[in-house]
């Protein structure tokens, strides 16, 4: 049995990661491919509990910046061992909405922790689950925020803990992602996400099908 593919979606908030993952899933499933969709933080019972702590202070106090890193990594380690690695081993494809590069972008470039340290902790958490392709949906911060604001209209919780960070923080995150895409061109595919969803989905399909489905 061939190992499946791990495709991760990254980008600033409101980039359209969940929307594009859903569109890619339908195309892959139409080809008879088993696809598992998951997200970070979360994707397991432990991970979803950590998500509540990280986003909405479910533990009753703010995690300090160091705890924040380790909580993201704990959620990731659990997701890899319990969901991603077993799926890849049985030949399924896994589409993950955010993965290790989010820690490098948000906690490294955004919060200012050493990028090398974030990458080292990421390697510990992900083990062999290195993404085959990382789709970076690039959107400018104001457009991403406008999209999220539209979605939040009428909802009780407005913004979560990380979404509420200052604009400069989100700008550092965006620039961090662009830097990662330059550093790891073999894995990253940058897609202009400041367009309608359909042409973005077409570009992603071309990238994915050219890379993984065109042989034979
Ligand atoms: N975080 C971290 O700091 N470190 C880590 O290691 C990890 C995460 C793993 C998770 O939040 C937060 O945790 C995140 C990073 C941090 N915080 N921030 N900021 P989340 O999972 O709740 O949210 P998110 O990952 O940021 O995703 P999102 O904001 O939900 O956005 P999205 O998935 O990229 O977009 P979407 O849901 O597909 O679309 C958003 C809205 O825009 C929606 O109404 C769509 O209908 C609309 N949309 C989508 N595409 C388009 C286009 N092309 N045009 C117009 N409108 C569109």
């Amino acid at each position: 049995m061939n190992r499946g593919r791990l495709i991760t979606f990254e980008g600033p908030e409101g980039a359209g990661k969940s929307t594009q993952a859903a569109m890619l899933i339908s195309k892959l499933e139409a080809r008879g491919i088993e696809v598992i969709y998951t997200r970070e933080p979360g994707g397991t019972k432990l991970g979803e509990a950590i998500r509540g702590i990280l986003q909405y202070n479910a533990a009753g106090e703010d995690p300090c910046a160091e705890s924040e890193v380790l909580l993201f990594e704990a959620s990731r380690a659990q997701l890899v061992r319990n969901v991603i690695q077993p799926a890849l081993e049985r030949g399924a494809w896994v589409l993950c909405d955010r993965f290790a590069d989010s820690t490098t972008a948000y906690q490294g470039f955004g919060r200012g922790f050493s990028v090398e340290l974030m990458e080292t902790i990421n390697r510990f958490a992900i083990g062999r689950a290195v993404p085959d392709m990382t789709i970076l949906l690039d959107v400018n911060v104001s457009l991403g925020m406008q999209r999220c604001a539209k979605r939040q209209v009428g909802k009780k919780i407005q913004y979560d803990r990380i979404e509420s960070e200052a604009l400069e923080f989100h700008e550092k995150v965006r620039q961090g992602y662009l830097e990662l895409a330059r550093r790891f061109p073999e894995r990253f595919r940058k897609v202009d996400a400041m367009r309608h969803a359909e042409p973005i989905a077409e570009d992603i399909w071309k990238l994915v099908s050219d890379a993984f489905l065109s042989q034979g």
Side-chain angles (χ1 to χ4, degrees), residues 40-199:
E40 280 207 7
T44 63
K45 283 186 187 165
L46 180 74
E48 292 297 325
I50 291 174
R51 184 180 179 90
I53 294 172
L54 280 165
Q55 291 188 265
Y56 302 112
N57 290 345
E61 67 178 310
D62 269 337
C64 66
E66 289 77 3
S67 299
E68 182 182 89
V69 171
L70 296 171
L71 285 164
F72 278 119
E73 297 293 354
S75 170
R76 179 166 304 134
Q78 192 78 1
L79 182 65
V80 166
R81 280 20 172 234
N82 288 5
V83 177
I84 295 179
Q85 202 60 52
L88 292 175
E89 276 161 24
R90 67 167 188 271
W93 288 37
V94 179
L95 302 196
C96 195
D97 197 334
R98 295 195 177 281
F99 197 55
D101 298 302
S102 282
T103 300
T104 314
Y106 280 82
Q107 282 63 50
F109 289 98
R111 296 247 188 267
F113 282 120
S114 148
V115 165
E116 290 68 32
L117 177 61
M118 297 303 101
E119 289 175 339
T120 301
I121 312 179
N122 280 336
R123 277 196 294 276
F124 176 66
I126 72 175
R128 287 177 293 128
V130 176
D132 296 289
M133 181 182 284
T134 296
I135 295 166
L136 170 58
L137 292 171
D138 180 49
V139 69
N140 68 48
V141 173
S142 56
L143 179 58
M145 285 190 164
Q146 274 170 35
R147 287 180 184 169
C148 292
K150 236 188 198 170
R151 182 181 54 186
Q152 301 290 47
V153 171
K155 289 195 187 155
K156 205 163 155 222
I157 295 172
Q158 283 289 306
Y159 290 103
D160 72 35
R161 208 173 53 80
I162 295 174
E163 282 168 351
S164 313
E165 288 286 342
L167 276 180
E168 303 85 83
F169 172 84
H170 291 287
E171 189 53 44
K172 283 187 206 162
V173 170
R174 181 186 181 206
Q175 294 308 323
Y177 272 127
L178 294 171
E179 172 66 25
L180 287 176
R182 282 190 290 271
R183 278 181 51 201
F184 301 108
E186 68 296 344
R187 173 167 67 85
F188 268 87
R189 295 291 175 270
K190 177 166 86 83
V191 175
D192 174 2
M194 294 172 274
R195 299 173 289 158
H196 289 298
E198 203 50 57

